[in-house]
Amino acid sequence: MSASSQLAMLSDLARDARDQAGQLLAGERQNERQVAAQLESLNRYRLEYAERLQQAMHEGIDPASMHNYQQFLASLDAALQRARQALDAQQQRVEQSQQHWQQEQKRLSAFDTLVSRRDAERLRQEARRDQRISDEMAAGRLLRQRAGHSS
Protein backbone atom coordinates (compact mmCIF):
# COMPACT_ATOMS: atom_id res chain seq x y z
CA MET A 1 0.00 0.00 0.00
CA SER A 2 1.47 3.33 -1.03
CA ALA A 3 2.02 6.17 1.40
CA SER A 4 -0.57 8.18 -0.52
CA SER A 5 -3.27 5.52 -0.20
CA GLN A 6 -2.38 4.99 3.48
CA LEU A 7 -2.80 8.70 4.07
CA ALA A 8 -6.13 8.69 2.21
CA MET A 9 -7.27 5.74 4.31
CA LEU A 10 -6.28 7.53 7.52
CA SER A 11 -8.13 10.62 6.33
CA ASP A 12 -11.25 8.51 5.65
CA LEU A 13 -11.01 6.93 9.11
CA ALA A 14 -10.63 10.37 10.69
CA ARG A 15 -13.69 11.58 8.73
CA ASP A 16 -15.70 8.60 9.99
CA ALA A 17 -14.58 9.27 13.57
CA ARG A 18 -15.52 12.95 13.21
CA ASP A 19 -18.93 12.01 11.80
CA GLN A 20 -19.56 9.56 14.65
CA ALA A 21 -18.56 12.22 17.17
CA GLY A 22 -20.99 14.58 15.44
CA GLN A 23 -23.81 12.07 15.72
CA LEU A 24 -23.03 11.57 19.40
CA LEU A 25 -23.01 15.34 19.93
CA ALA A 26 -26.37 15.69 18.17
CA GLY A 27 -27.82 12.97 20.41
CA GLU A 28 -26.47 14.62 23.56
CA ARG A 29 -27.93 17.97 22.47
CA GLN A 30 -31.30 16.31 21.85
CA ASN A 31 -31.15 14.76 25.34
CA GLU A 32 -30.28 18.17 26.76
CA ARG A 33 -33.37 19.71 25.13
CA GLN A 34 -35.55 16.92 26.54
CA VAL A 35 -34.14 17.29 30.07
CA ALA A 36 -34.54 21.08 29.88
CA ALA A 37 -38.15 20.67 28.71
CA GLN A 38 -38.86 18.29 31.60
CA LEU A 39 -37.38 20.78 34.05
CA GLU A 40 -39.49 23.57 32.56
CA SER A 41 -42.65 21.44 32.83
CA LEU A 42 -41.84 20.60 36.42
CA ASN A 43 -41.26 24.29 37.18
CA ARG A 44 -44.64 25.22 35.65
CA TYR A 45 -46.40 22.46 37.58
CA ARG A 46 -44.80 23.57 40.84
CA LEU A 47 -45.90 27.19 40.22
CA GLU A 48 -49.45 26.07 39.43
CA TYR A 49 -49.59 23.93 42.56
CA ALA A 50 -48.24 26.78 44.71
CA GLU A 51 -50.95 29.04 43.24
CA ARG A 52 -53.56 26.43 44.15
CA LEU A 53 -52.23 26.42 47.71
CA GLN A 54 -52.44 30.22 47.83
CA GLN A 55 -56.01 30.08 46.55
CA ALA A 56 -56.93 27.37 49.09
CA MET A 57 -55.37 29.42 51.90
CA HIS A 58 -57.32 32.47 50.75
CA GLU A 59 -60.57 30.46 50.77
CA GLY A 60 -59.69 28.72 54.04
CA ILE A 61 -58.00 25.37 54.36
CA ASP A 62 -57.94 22.75 57.10
CA PRO A 63 -54.61 21.80 58.71
CA ALA A 64 -54.51 18.31 57.17
CA SER A 65 -54.96 19.67 53.63
CA MET A 66 -52.39 22.37 54.34
CA HIS A 67 -49.94 19.70 55.45
CA ASN A 68 -50.64 17.64 52.28
CA TYR A 69 -50.02 20.69 50.07
CA GLN A 70 -46.76 21.44 51.87
CA GLN A 71 -45.60 17.82 51.64
CA PHE A 72 -46.35 17.70 47.94
CA LEU A 73 -44.60 21.02 47.33
CA ALA A 74 -41.56 19.68 49.21
CA SER A 75 -41.54 16.59 46.99
CA LEU A 76 -41.84 18.83 43.91
CA ASP A 77 -38.91 20.90 45.17
CA ALA A 78 -36.84 17.73 45.57
CA ALA A 79 -37.80 16.63 42.05
CA LEU A 80 -36.84 20.07 40.73
CA GLN A 81 -33.45 19.81 42.41
CA ARG A 82 -32.87 16.39 40.81
CA ALA A 83 -34.00 17.74 37.43
CA ARG A 84 -31.57 20.68 37.72
CA GLN A 85 -28.76 18.26 38.57
CA ALA A 86 -29.72 16.07 35.62
CA LEU A 87 -29.65 19.13 33.33
CA ASP A 88 -26.25 20.17 34.67
CA ALA A 89 -24.90 16.65 34.09
CA GLN A 90 -26.38 16.57 30.58
CA GLN A 91 -24.87 19.96 29.77
CA GLN A 92 -21.48 18.59 30.84
CA ARG A 93 -21.97 15.62 28.51
CA VAL A 94 -22.81 18.01 25.68
CA GLU A 95 -19.65 20.02 26.41
CA GLN A 96 -17.52 16.86 26.47
CA SER A 97 -19.09 15.63 23.23
CA GLN A 98 -18.47 18.98 21.61
CA GLN A 99 -14.81 18.93 22.67
CA HIS A 100 -14.48 15.39 21.33
CA TRP A 101 -16.02 16.45 17.99
CA GLN A 102 -13.65 19.42 17.80
CA GLN A 103 -10.65 17.15 18.44
CA GLU A 104 -11.81 14.78 15.71
CA GLN A 105 -12.35 17.73 13.35
CA LYS A 106 -8.80 19.00 14.03
CA ARG A 107 -7.42 15.52 13.40
CA LEU A 108 -9.33 15.29 10.13
CA SER A 109 -8.12 18.73 9.08
CA ALA A 110 -4.53 17.68 9.78
CA PHE A 111 -4.90 14.59 7.57
CA ASP A 112 -6.64 16.61 4.86
CA THR A 113 -3.76 19.11 4.95
CA LEU A 114 -1.24 16.28 4.57
CA VAL A 115 -3.22 14.81 1.67
CA SER A 116 -3.37 18.23 -0.01
CA ARG A 117 0.37 18.75 0.44
CA ARG A 118 1.12 15.30 -0.93
CA ASP A 119 -1.17 15.94 -3.92
CA ALA A 120 0.45 19.34 -4.55
CA GLU A 121 3.92 17.78 -4.39
CA ARG A 122 2.85 15.03 -6.80
CA LEU A 123 1.51 17.66 -9.22
CA ARG A 124 4.78 19.64 -8.96
CA GLN A 125 6.78 16.51 -9.71
CA GLU A 126 4.56 15.66 -12.68
CA ALA A 127 4.89 19.23 -13.98
CA ARG A 128 8.68 19.03 -13.64
CA ARG A 129 8.75 15.67 -15.42
CA ASP A 130 6.51 17.00 -18.20
CA GLN A 131 8.72 20.08 -18.52
CA ARG A 132 11.84 17.90 -18.64
CA ILE A 133 10.31 15.71 -21.37
CA SER A 134 9.23 18.81 -23.27
CA ASP A 135 12.72 20.32 -22.92
CA GLU A 136 14.34 17.06 -24.09
CA MET A 137 12.01 16.90 -27.10
CA ALA A 138 12.74 20.54 -27.97
CA ALA A 139 16.49 19.93 -27.61
CA GLY A 140 16.18 16.86 -29.84
CA ARG A 141 14.30 18.86 -32.51
CA LEU A 142 16.92 21.60 -32.30
CA LEU A 143 19.72 19.07 -32.74
CA ARG A 144 17.94 17.48 -35.70
CA GLN A 145 17.33 20.89 -37.26
CA ARG A 146 21.00 21.83 -36.84
CA ALA A 147 22.08 18.48 -38.15
CA GLY A 148 19.74 18.93 -41.16
CA HIS A 149 21.11 22.46 -41.90
CA SER A 150 24.76 21.48 -41.68
CA SER A 151 24.47 18.67 -44.22
mmCIF file of all heavy atoms in Angstrom, residues 121-148:
data_model
loop_
_atom_site.group_PDB
_atom_site.id
_atom_site.type_symbol
_atom_site.label_atom_id
_atom_site.label_comp_id
_atom_site.label_asym_id
_atom_site.label_seq_id
_atom_site.Cartn_x
_atom_site.Cartn_y
_atom_site.Cartn_z
ATOM 1 N N GLU A 121 2.553 18.214 -4.085
ATOM 2 C CA GLU A 121 3.924 17.778 -4.387
ATOM 3 C C GLU A 121 3.924 16.845 -5.594
ATOM 4 O O GLU A 121 4.772 16.947 -6.473
ATOM 5 C CB GLU A 121 4.541 17.091 -3.175
ATOM 6 C CG GLU A 121 5.945 16.573 -3.395
ATOM 7 C CD GLU A 121 6.946 17.658 -3.813
ATOM 8 O OE1 GLU A 121 6.756 18.843 -3.436
ATOM 9 O OE2 GLU A 121 7.911 17.315 -4.513
ATOM 10 N N ARG A 122 2.955 15.940 -5.659
ATOM 11 C CA ARG A 122 2.848 15.032 -6.798
ATOM 12 C C ARG A 122 2.619 15.823 -8.089
ATOM 13 O O ARG A 122 3.257 15.550 -9.118
ATOM 14 C CB ARG A 122 1.711 14.037 -6.577
ATOM 15 C CG ARG A 122 1.583 13.005 -7.681
ATOM 16 C CD ARG A 122 0.405 12.054 -7.460
ATOM 17 N NE ARG A 122 -0.823 12.703 -7.052
ATOM 18 C CZ ARG A 122 -1.668 13.346 -7.869
ATOM 19 N NH1 ARG A 122 -1.403 13.438 -9.155
ATOM 20 N NH2 ARG A 122 -2.779 13.893 -7.410
ATOM 21 N N LEU A 123 1.763 16.826 -8.033
ATOM 22 C CA LEU A 123 1.514 17.657 -9.217
ATOM 23 C C LEU A 123 2.766 18.431 -9.627
ATOM 24 O O LEU A 123 3.050 18.556 -10.827
ATOM 25 C CB LEU A 123 0.349 18.622 -8.953
ATOM 26 C CG LEU A 123 -1.028 17.975 -8.851
ATOM 27 C CD1 LEU A 123 -2.070 19.014 -8.445
ATOM 28 C CD2 LEU A 123 -1.418 17.305 -10.165
ATOM 29 N N ARG A 124 3.521 18.938 -8.642
ATOM 30 C CA ARG A 124 4.778 19.639 -8.960
ATOM 31 C C ARG A 124 5.761 18.696 -9.637
ATOM 32 O O ARG A 124 6.410 19.064 -10.617
ATOM 33 C CB ARG A 124 5.405 20.235 -7.689
ATOM 34 C CG ARG A 124 4.850 21.583 -7.292
ATOM 35 C CD ARG A 124 5.689 22.254 -6.216
ATOM 36 N NE ARG A 124 5.764 21.513 -4.968
ATOM 37 C CZ ARG A 124 4.841 21.566 -4.002
ATOM 38 N NH1 ARG A 124 3.782 22.337 -4.151
ATOM 39 N NH2 ARG A 124 4.978 20.868 -2.909
ATOM 40 N N GLN A 125 5.870 17.478 -9.111
ATOM 41 C CA GLN A 125 6.784 16.506 -9.710
ATOM 42 C C GLN A 125 6.356 16.148 -11.123
ATOM 43 O O GLN A 125 7.198 16.032 -12.024
ATOM 44 C CB GLN A 125 6.861 15.252 -8.833
ATOM 45 C CG GLN A 125 7.609 15.468 -7.540
ATOM 46 C CD GLN A 125 7.554 14.241 -6.629
ATOM 47 O OE1 GLN A 125 6.887 13.258 -6.925
ATOM 48 N NE2 GLN A 125 8.272 14.327 -5.514
ATOM 49 N N GLU A 126 5.053 15.973 -11.335
ATOM 50 C CA GLU A 126 4.560 15.664 -12.680
ATOM 51 C C GLU A 126 4.837 16.827 -13.621
ATOM 52 O O GLU A 126 5.222 16.617 -14.772
ATOM 53 C CB GLU A 126 3.055 15.361 -12.637
ATOM 54 C CG GLU A 126 2.725 14.011 -12.041
ATOM 55 C CD GLU A 126 1.225 13.773 -11.922
ATOM 56 O OE1 GLU A 126 0.417 14.597 -12.428
ATOM 57 O OE2 GLU A 126 0.849 12.756 -11.314
ATOM 58 N N ALA A 127 4.630 18.053 -13.139
ATOM 59 C CA ALA A 127 4.889 19.228 -13.980
ATOM 60 C C ALA A 127 6.374 19.304 -14.336
ATOM 61 O O ALA A 127 6.722 19.600 -15.487
ATOM 62 C CB ALA A 127 4.432 20.499 -13.270
ATOM 63 N N ARG A 128 7.239 19.029 -13.358
ATOM 64 C CA ARG A 128 8.683 19.029 -13.637
ATOM 65 C C ARG A 128 9.046 17.956 -14.651
ATOM 66 O O ARG A 128 9.829 18.191 -15.569
ATOM 67 C CB ARG A 128 9.479 18.801 -12.337
ATOM 68 C CG ARG A 128 9.674 20.042 -11.533
ATOM 69 C CD ARG A 128 10.704 19.789 -10.410
ATOM 70 N NE ARG A 128 10.184 20.373 -9.196
ATOM 71 C CZ ARG A 128 9.932 19.745 -8.055
ATOM 72 N NH1 ARG A 128 10.199 18.465 -7.944
ATOM 73 N NH2 ARG A 128 9.434 20.367 -7.033
ATOM 74 N N ARG A 129 8.476 16.772 -14.489
ATOM 75 C CA ARG A 129 8.746 15.672 -15.417
ATOM 76 C C ARG A 129 8.257 16.033 -16.825
ATOM 77 O O ARG A 129 8.975 15.850 -17.809
ATOM 78 C CB ARG A 129 8.064 14.388 -14.933
ATOM 79 C CG ARG A 129 8.462 13.163 -15.756
ATOM 80 C CD ARG A 129 7.533 12.030 -15.535
ATOM 81 N NE ARG A 129 6.219 12.578 -15.905
ATOM 82 C CZ ARG A 129 5.049 12.046 -15.592
ATOM 83 N NH1 ARG A 129 4.976 10.962 -14.923
ATOM 84 N NH2 ARG A 129 3.924 12.602 -15.948
ATOM 85 N N ASP A 130 7.035 16.587 -16.889
ATOM 86 C CA ASP A 130 6.506 16.999 -18.200
ATOM 87 C C ASP A 130 7.388 18.070 -18.822
ATOM 88 O O ASP A 130 7.644 18.049 -20.030
ATOM 89 C CB ASP A 130 5.065 17.517 -18.058
ATOM 90 C CG ASP A 130 4.083 16.413 -17.716
ATOM 91 O OD1 ASP A 130 4.450 15.215 -17.823
ATOM 92 O OD2 ASP A 130 2.933 16.743 -17.328
ATOM 93 N N GLN A 131 7.850 19.012 -18.001
ATOM 94 C CA GLN A 131 8.718 20.076 -18.516
ATOM 95 C C GLN A 131 10.040 19.496 -19.009
ATOM 96 O O GLN A 131 10.550 19.887 -20.053
ATOM 97 C CB GLN A 131 8.970 21.125 -17.428
ATOM 98 C CG GLN A 131 9.780 22.321 -17.911
ATOM 99 C CD GLN A 131 9.054 23.100 -19.004
ATOM 100 O OE1 GLN A 131 7.887 23.416 -18.864
ATOM 101 N NE2 GLN A 131 9.746 23.384 -20.103
ATOM 102 N N ARG A 132 10.579 18.525 -18.239
ATOM 103 C CA ARG A 132 11.843 17.900 -18.636
ATOM 104 C C ARG A 132 11.674 17.167 -19.961
ATOM 105 O O ARG A 132 12.506 17.272 -20.864
ATOM 106 C CB ARG A 132 12.309 16.940 -17.529
ATOM 107 C CG ARG A 132 13.712 16.401 -17.732
ATOM 108 C CD ARG A 132 14.229 15.594 -16.537
ATOM 109 N NE ARG A 132 13.298 14.597 -16.029
ATOM 110 C CZ ARG A 132 12.642 14.661 -14.861
ATOM 111 N NH1 ARG A 132 12.821 15.693 -14.059
ATOM 112 N NH2 ARG A 132 11.818 13.705 -14.485
ATOM 113 N N ILE A 133 10.571 16.427 -20.113
ATOM 114 C CA ILE A 133 10.307 15.713 -21.367
ATOM 115 C C ILE A 133 10.158 16.708 -22.510
ATOM 116 O O ILE A 133 10.726 16.529 -23.592
ATOM 117 C CB ILE A 133 9.055 14.827 -21.228
ATOM 118 C CG1 ILE A 133 9.341 13.660 -20.278
ATOM 119 C CG2 ILE A 133 8.586 14.320 -22.583
ATOM 120 C CD1 ILE A 133 8.118 12.854 -19.890
ATOM 121 N N SER A 134 9.419 17.783 -22.241
ATOM 122 C CA SER A 134 9.228 18.812 -23.267
ATOM 123 C C SER A 134 10.566 19.446 -23.643
ATOM 124 O O SER A 134 10.855 19.653 -24.835
ATOM 125 C CB SER A 134 8.263 19.875 -22.744
ATOM 126 O OG SER A 134 8.108 20.912 -23.672
ATOM 127 N N ASP A 135 11.403 19.744 -22.652
ATOM 128 C CA ASP A 135 12.723 20.321 -22.921
ATOM 129 C C ASP A 135 13.581 19.350 -23.737
ATOM 130 O O ASP A 135 14.278 19.760 -24.675
ATOM 131 C CB ASP A 135 13.448 20.679 -21.618
ATOM 132 C CG ASP A 135 12.811 21.847 -20.886
ATOM 133 O OD1 ASP A 135 11.954 22.525 -21.490
ATOM 134 O OD2 ASP A 135 13.162 22.069 -19.704
ATOM 135 N N GLU A 136 13.545 18.057 -23.364
ATOM 136 C CA GLU A 136 14.336 17.063 -24.092
ATOM 137 C C GLU A 136 13.861 16.941 -25.540
ATOM 138 O O GLU A 136 14.670 16.833 -26.461
ATOM 139 C CB GLU A 136 14.256 15.707 -23.381
ATOM 140 C CG GLU A 136 15.013 15.672 -22.076
ATOM 141 C CD GLU A 136 14.758 14.393 -21.275
ATOM 142 O OE1 GLU A 136 13.976 13.528 -21.733
ATOM 143 O OE2 GLU A 136 15.338 14.280 -20.176
ATOM 144 N N MET A 137 12.541 16.993 -25.734
ATOM 145 C CA MET A 137 12.010 16.905 -27.102
ATOM 146 C C MET A 137 12.415 18.145 -27.901
ATOM 147 O O MET A 137 12.818 18.035 -29.073
ATOM 148 C CB MET A 137 10.487 16.761 -27.070
ATOM 149 C CG MET A 137 10.036 15.391 -26.559
ATOM 150 S SD MET A 137 8.260 15.242 -26.327
ATOM 151 C CE MET A 137 7.655 15.473 -27.979
ATOM 152 N N ALA A 138 12.346 19.304 -27.269
ATOM 153 C CA ALA A 138 12.742 20.536 -27.966
ATOM 154 C C ALA A 138 14.226 20.497 -28.296
ATOM 155 O O ALA A 138 14.643 20.894 -29.391
ATOM 156 C CB ALA A 138 12.410 21.753 -27.099
ATOM 157 N N ALA A 139 15.050 20.019 -27.352
ATOM 158 C CA ALA A 139 16.486 19.926 -27.605
ATOM 159 C C ALA A 139 16.761 18.941 -28.737
ATOM 160 O O ALA A 139 17.618 19.175 -29.591
ATOM 161 C CB ALA A 139 17.218 19.508 -26.330
ATOM 162 N N GLY A 140 16.019 17.852 -28.766
ATOM 163 C CA GLY A 140 16.185 16.859 -29.842
ATOM 164 C C GLY A 140 15.813 17.454 -31.191
ATOM 165 O O GLY A 140 16.510 17.249 -32.187
ATOM 166 N N ARG A 141 14.702 18.205 -31.259
ATOM 167 C CA ARG A 141 14.302 18.861 -32.513
ATOM 168 C C ARG A 141 15.373 19.858 -32.954
ATOM 169 O O ARG A 141 15.725 19.925 -34.123
ATOM 170 C CB ARG A 141 12.962 19.588 -32.329
ATOM 171 C CG ARG A 141 11.761 18.691 -32.491
ATOM 172 C CD ARG A 141 10.482 19.484 -32.654
ATOM 173 N NE ARG A 141 10.249 20.436 -31.584
ATOM 174 C CZ ARG A 141 9.566 20.185 -30.453
ATOM 175 N NH1 ARG A 141 9.063 18.981 -30.276
ATOM 176 N NH2 ARG A 141 9.402 21.103 -29.546
ATOM 177 N N LEU A 142 15.885 20.610 -31.984
ATOM 178 C CA LEU A 142 16.915 21.602 -32.305
ATOM 179 C C LEU A 142 18.158 20.916 -32.859
ATOM 180 O O LEU A 142 18.738 21.370 -33.854
ATOM 181 C CB LEU A 142 17.252 22.424 -31.058
ATOM 182 C CG LEU A 142 18.225 23.579 -31.240
ATOM 183 C CD1 LEU A 142 17.658 24.578 -32.251
ATOM 184 C CD2 LEU A 142 18.507 24.258 -29.932
ATOM 185 N N LEU A 143 18.561 19.800 -32.240
ATOM 186 C CA LEU A 143 19.724 19.066 -32.739
ATOM 187 C C LEU A 143 19.466 18.523 -34.141
ATOM 188 O O LEU A 143 20.351 18.581 -35.010
ATOM 189 C CB LEU A 143 20.084 17.918 -31.795
ATOM 190 C CG LEU A 143 20.765 18.306 -30.470
ATOM 191 C CD1 LEU A 143 20.926 17.076 -29.585
ATOM 192 C CD2 LEU A 143 22.129 18.928 -30.769
ATOM 193 N N ARG A 144 18.255 18.007 -34.369
ATOM 194 C CA ARG A 144 17.940 17.477 -35.704
ATOM 195 C C ARG A 144 17.923 18.600 -36.745
ATOM 196 O O ARG A 144 18.393 18.428 -37.852
ATOM 197 C CB ARG A 144 16.590 16.755 -35.671
ATOM 198 C CG ARG A 144 16.671 15.361 -35.059
ATOM 199 C CD ARG A 144 15.403 14.570 -35.286
ATOM 200 N NE ARG A 144 14.197 15.186 -34.726
ATOM 201 C CZ ARG A 144 13.827 15.064 -33.435
ATOM 202 N NH1 ARG A 144 14.556 14.370 -32.606
ATOM 203 N NH2 ARG A 144 12.735 15.656 -33.022
ATOM 204 N N GLN A 145 17.354 19.766 -36.328
ATOM 205 C CA GLN A 145 17.335 20.891 -37.257
ATOM 206 C C GLN A 145 18.767 21.335 -37.603
ATOM 207 O O GLN A 145 19.083 21.580 -38.759
ATOM 208 C CB GLN A 145 16.560 22.071 -36.660
ATOM 209 C CG GLN A 145 15.069 21.885 -36.629
ATOM 210 C CD GLN A 145 14.351 23.021 -35.917
ATOM 211 O OE1 GLN A 145 14.990 23.897 -35.324
ATOM 212 N NE2 GLN A 145 13.028 22.974 -35.963
ATOM 213 N N ARG A 146 19.605 21.423 -36.599
ATOM 214 C CA ARG A 146 21.004 21.827 -36.841
ATOM 215 C C ARG A 146 21.717 20.798 -37.691
ATOM 216 O O ARG A 146 22.499 21.139 -38.572
ATOM 217 C CB ARG A 146 21.729 22.033 -35.512
ATOM 218 C CG ARG A 146 21.311 23.275 -34.815
ATOM 219 C CD ARG A 146 22.143 23.501 -33.579
ATOM 220 N NE ARG A 146 21.700 24.717 -32.900
ATOM 221 C CZ ARG A 146 22.036 25.031 -31.683
ATOM 222 N NH1 ARG A 146 22.796 24.216 -30.988
ATOM 223 N NH2 ARG A 146 21.600 26.145 -31.153
ATOM 224 N N ALA A 147 21.438 19.539 -37.378
ATOM 225 C CA ALA A 147 22.077 18.476 -38.153
ATOM 226 C C ALA A 147 21.596 18.514 -39.590
ATOM 227 O O ALA A 147 22.360 18.297 -40.538
ATOM 228 C CB ALA A 147 21.805 17.104 -37.542
ATOM 229 N N GLY A 148 20.311 18.844 -39.812
ATOM 230 C CA GLY A 148 19.739 18.932 -41.161
ATOM 231 C C GLY A 148 20.278 20.136 -41.898
ATOM 232 O O GLY A 148 20.492 20.087 -43.111
#
